[in-house]
Amino acid sequence: MTIKVDNLSIVKSEKTLLSKINFEIGAPELIGIIGENGAGKSTLMHCLSGLEASKQKISLNGRTLESYGNQELSKLRAVLPQNNDLIFSFQAREVVRLGLSLSSLSIEQQNEVVNDCLEEVDADTFAQNNYLYLSGGEKQRIQLARVLAQLYSSKEENKYLLLDEPTSALDLKHQVSVLKLLKKLSKKRIGVFIIIHDLNLASLFCDKILLLKQGTLVSFDTPKNIFKPELISKTFETDVLIMQHPQTSSPLMVNQIN
Amino acid sequence: MNSSVFQKQGHRYWLLGLLLTVVWCAISVGAAKVDFAFPFELIANWFGLNNSENYLVTIVNNIRLPRVVLAILVGAILAISGASLQGLCRNPLADPGLLGISSGAAVGAVTVIVMADKLAISSVMQPYLTPLAAITGAAVATFVIYRLAQVKGNMQIATLLLAGVAVNALGGALIGVFSYIADDQALRMITFWMMGSLASASWKMLAIISPVLIVCIVLMLRKKNELNLLLLGEANARYVGVEVDKVKRELLWLNAIGVGVAVSVTGAIGFIGLVIPHILRLGSSADYRFLLLNSALLGAALLILADVIARTMISPAELPIGLVTAVLGAPFFIALLIKQKKKLVLGI
């Protein structure tokens, strides 16, 4: 899977949301998108989904996203936005099945995919419950299972996942298990982009980091090169201390309290 | 693990059973007394097994049966329209009434009723012109709300609902004006028409409207997966591969045509579109794979039942069917809202 973003700018209502973004990804990796609030992370993700007007600036496997039809794109990438509310009662496993709604799989094959995805996000225990009554974290895992199901149902190669803060409501155990799962997917040649505010998790699991500030790309590099005190303090406008993880020696950040 | 899916599919057989039972009752109950075994005689007569010149067979064949068929089609289209609009707008209160589609149809029909004399429309043409005007009214209302809700090429659902409220208000005002200038006879017709009736049912009329309503129902049933995905929000539906704007456009026009045709022959019948999908969501499933067909079946059954009550309650006179559905529907809906308040089932 290759993705090339070429001089991408988005201006809406005279406000620049993204300005001259350039980067290239040559192989499926777990890529973290980080930055302050309003830095343009979700806008960039929307552009990468192929549904933003800027699609001629982004190419996937050598073809511009514009040249892909909506249905063709839905077989190549799945997207998990921040808000995924339902207004009517659905059984949790049926929400996962929604990811397969337009697939040509038989009911048996669908059940198999749904069960696999539920297991992967550790949601089989509440799969029969009403989605509306689940906790925030449980809902988030069900929605993640839904986008996984969408991607698994496609036989295409060069697939990728776009996840907007998929760990924001998760507990410690599930934050780690979800990131391990995403890492595993990237090793299976599925590219993963993840917007994440927990910089330590990003440092521990991501292969590369896209660091955004006010719509511009500050840096696109490995966590070791991104998580430097000066760069992070300047980007987030708060002083941080950088330490090393005792097991992996990857950078760990804590706020500096004056 | 998947028993629940089969259980929900099973509900459609129960609903089909209910529909057949209600049809049986509707054939057997009425001013002309027949016994409950009569439908057997009727079926035998259709297949030429029994050629008795029973006048009751003629009555049922030509009066009761067309009403039953009309009730099935209109009940089904109103309920399925309500269900699809609720999904399309992601709003539990959406129905053809709320979006102004029924109101547009009403304005069209009332215009013809009141202006018939003034425009020198012959009494022969009026029965044909009223439905045509109602369909035009529904289409105009849909076009107006559709255009108002289009913002930079995308349909804004919040604006669509507000536009519906505005069109409804305008429709109400226009009907008010027409009622004010109408003579006694026209006013009586308007009042009766605004409360609905299946009394105009005939095989001749059914031959014209059935194909349109059946096509609308079938095409709406085919949108079950897209409606399910729209429940996740438009962005999510797009990400999974739904051509959202095309689906929205198609569903709106199917609603306009279906509801316009239905309202044109039966008048305004409320509560079916609003209440039936909610009964099924609470009792069966909110999953559109089941909900659309189940709505059509239950909507049909309920409208037949309402018609039986309407024509037998003060027989030989008839109650307007819109009154019956409102009297049955309103308390039920209030009970539903109280239950919802306690359980927050609908999450609004």
Side-chain angles (χ1 to χ4, degrees), chain B residues 130-151:
Chain B
T130 312
L132 268 180
I135 295 166
T136 312
V140 168
T142 308
F143 181 75
V144 169
I145 57 167
Y146 180 71
R147 287 308 294 259
L148 282 173
Q150 285 280 325
V151 180

Side-chain angles (χ1 to χ4, degrees), chain B residues 129-199:
Chain B
L129 273 180
T130 312
L132 268 180
I135 295 166
T136 312
V140 168
T142 308
F143 181 75
V144 169
I145 57 167
Y146 180 71
R147 287 308 294 259
L148 282 173
Q150 285 280 325
V151 180
K152 290 181 186 166
N154 287 315
M155 193 195 290
Q156 304 286 319
I157 294 299
T159 320
L160 183 79
L161 290 170
L162 289 173
V165 172
V167 168
N168 255 332
L170 191 64
L174 284 173
I175 291 168
V177 170
F178 281 124
S179 304
Y180 188 73
I181 60 168
D183 56 29
D184 273 359
Q185 198 199 345
L187 192 61
R188 218 179 137 68
M189 274 179 78
I190 292 172
T191 313
F192 191 71
W193 198 85
M194 289 302 294
M195 290 188 285
S197 168
L198 299 181

Side-chain angles (χ1 to χ4, degrees), chain A residues 40-249:
Chain A
K41 303 184 292 294
S42 295
T43 309
L44 176 61
M45 188 159 276
H46 195 53
C47 292
L48 290 170
S49 77
L51 296 178
E52 183 65 46
S54 61
K55 41 199 173 185
Q56 71 274 17
K57 303 281 186 187
I58 301 176
S59 48
L60 169 67
N61 305 323
R63 271 171 67 190
T64 61
L65 282 184
E66 198 177 32
S67 65
Y68 292 88
N70 191 10
Q71 297 206 345
E72 193 182 359
L73 269 180
S74 70
K75 291 185 172 63
L76 286 168
R77 60 97 184 93
V79 188
L80 182 66
Q82 275 181 57
N83 298 318
N84 300 288
D85 287 339
L86 272 179
I87 51 165
F88 299 119
S89 295
F90 262 71
Q91 202 181 36
R93 65 172 288 121
E94 295 306 316
V95 176
V96 179
R97 194 193 298 275
L98 290 178
L100 307 171
S101 292
L102 301 183
S103 77
S104 52
L105 299 183
S106 67
I107 292 284
E108 289 72 28
Q109 289 169 321
Q110 286 189 15
N111 286 336
E112 210 172 300
V113 173
V114 169
N115 290 341
D116 287 349
C117 294
L118 283 167
E119 204 177 314
E120 284 199 321
V121 300
D122 189 23
D124 18 14
T125 49
F126 52 85
Q128 311 292 333
N129 297 1
N130 184 341
Y131 176 83
L132 294 183
Y133 299 149
L134 299 181
S135 74
E138 287 170 338
K139 282 182 183 169
Q140 210 165 31
R141 276 144 64 199
I142 289 294
Q143 290 291 349
L144 178 60
R146 173 179 67 77
V147 294
L148 289 177
Q150 181 192 337
L151 218 55
Y152 290 172
S153 67
S154 151
K155 292 193 176 74
E156 298 282 337
E157 287 180 2
N158 300 314
K159 294 184 280 197
Y160 63 107
L161 258 181
L162 300 166
L163 308 169
D164 197 343
E165 298 190 39
T167 55
S168 60
L170 300 186
D171 58 35
L172 207 55
K173 172 187 163 187
H174 290 107
Q175 283 179 351
V176 172
S177 66
V178 161
L179 276 153
K180 278 184 178 166
L181 167 67
L182 299 179
K183 187 90 180 169
K184 192 178 84 186
L185 292 179
S186 67
K187 301 262 184 263
K188 285 187 187 167
R189 306 202 55 76
I190 293 179
V192 182
F193 291 85
I194 171 176
I195 294 178
I196 188 162
H197 280 294
D198 188 325
L199 302 185
N200 290 330
L201 279 177
S203 167
L204 275 170
F205 290 97
C206 291
D207 299 309
K208 289 224 180 94
I209 302 283
L210 282 158
L211 178 61
L212 294 175
K213 185 173 174 68
Q214 291 174 351
T216 56
L217 181 60
V218 177
S219 183
F220 176 44
D221 214 326
T222 57
K224 274 214 161 93
N225 291 331
I226 292 274
F227 294 121
K228 301 244 160 117
E230 321 79 62
L231 188 58
I232 294 299
S233 297
K234 200 176 157 197
T235 308
F236 288 89
E237 295 173 18
T238 182
D239 292 330
V240 292
L241 297 171
I242 308 269
M243 293 171 273
Q244 275 195 340
H245 191 282
Q247 288 175 303
T248 63
S249 24

Side-chain angles (χ1 to χ4, degrees), chain B residues 177-311:
Chain B
V177 170
F178 281 124
S179 304
Y180 188 73
I181 60 168
D183 56 29
D184 273 359
Q185 198 199 345
L187 192 61
R188 218 179 137 68
M189 274 179 78
I190 292 172
T191 313
F192 191 71
W193 198 85
M194 289 302 294
M195 290 188 285
S197 168
L198 299 181
S200 64
S202 68
W203 289 120
K204 200 172 136 193
M205 173 248 270
L206 281 168
I208 300 166
I209 66 159
S210 307
V212 182
L213 292 180
I214 289 168
V215 167
C216 287
I217 290 169
V218 170
L219 290 178
M220 280 202 243
L221 283 174
R222 289 174 56 170
K223 294 277 179 273
K224 54 185 191 277
N225 287 323
E226 285 83 352
L227 279 164
N228 260 346
L229 287 168
L230 278 167
L231 290 180
L232 287 166
E234 287 184 28
N236 271 317
R238 276 201 183 91
Y239 294 143
V240 184
V242 178
E243 301 292 346
V244 172
D245 290 321
K246 187 166 161 262
V247 169
K248 282 196 290 193
R249 218 169 28 237
E250 284 174 8
L251 278 172
L252 267 185
W253 286 113
L254 285 172
N255 269 288
I257 296 167
V259 173
V261 168
V263 171
S264 74
V265 288
T266 63
I269 299 175
F271 284 101
I272 299 273
L274 185 65
V275 172
I276 297 287
H278 287 308
I279 297 174
L280 290 163
R281 284 193 185 99
L282 287 173
S284 175
S285 170
D287 189 330
Y288 275 95
R289 286 176 300 158
F290 315 110
L291 183 70
L292 285 177
L293 184 59
N294 288 353
S295 293
L297 292 171
L298 189 59
L302 206 78
L303 200 60
I304 296 171
L305 188 68
D307 188 45
V308 171
I309 294 171
R311 63 186 167 80

Side-chain angles (χ1 to χ4, degrees), chain B residues 91-112:
Chain B
N91 191 312
L93 293 176
D95 87 326
L98 184 87
L99 291 188
I101 300 172
S102 304
S103 197
V107 171
V110 168
T111 309
V112 172

Side-chain angles (χ1 to χ4, degrees), chain B residues 52-68:
Chain B
S52 67
E53 290 292 316
N54 188 345
Y55 75 99
L56 287 172
V57 170
T58 315
I59 288 179
V60 170
N61 260 335
N62 295 323
I63 298 173
R64 273 184 214 168
L65 219 49
R67 280 182 84 127
V68 169

